[in-house]
Amino acid sequence: DHQTWYAKYTYGPVTVGYQASEVETYGTTTDDESTTYSILFAVNDELSISYGEWTNEDNTAVDEEISGVSASYTTGGMTFTLYSNSADNVGNTSGVESEKTEVAVSFAF
């Protein structure tokens, strides 16, 4: 059984989103519940910045928590992107952490 719902609202240059999900596995007592929210700010037509968080709860003692920030800048046929994410208690295992940062450039011809 899998249920999910979300809401997204945009007002001017700001977009806010929220999502909640629940997964119940048949024949087990394993349940996963996750919540996500994010916010994006479009500075202008070329630059946007966003931030988001995600939390996963299951039948363990610790919650998996992920957060990230990203930015995108477009000029002419080039787009520059940057994102940085960090995760705590990966796989709902205490003390397991992960971090990733990426910078990219794409070209349109």
Side-chain angles (χ1 to χ4, degrees), residues 12-23:
V14 178
T15 300
V16 178
Y18 181 85
Q19 179 177 350
S21 298
E22 183 177 324
V23 177

Side-chain angles (χ1 to χ4, degrees), residues 43-99:
V43 177
N44 53 38
D45 288 342
E46 293 84 24
L47 177 64
S48 63
I49 301 168
S50 64
Y51 176 80
E53 288 192 2
W54 179 77
T55 302
N56 182 54
E57 302 173 24
D58 65 4
N59 295 345
T60 60
V62 296
D63 295 343
E64 182 176 17
E65 298 174 339
I66 300 173
S67 63
V69 64
S70 66
S72 174
Y73 178 74
T74 301
T75 180
M78 296 184 349
T79 301
F80 300 89
T81 57
L82 162 73
Y83 77 84
S84 182
N85 297 327
S86 65
D88 294 323
N89 305 321
V90 176
N92 296 93
T93 303
S94 182
V96 179
E97 297 179 357
S98 177
E99 290 187 11

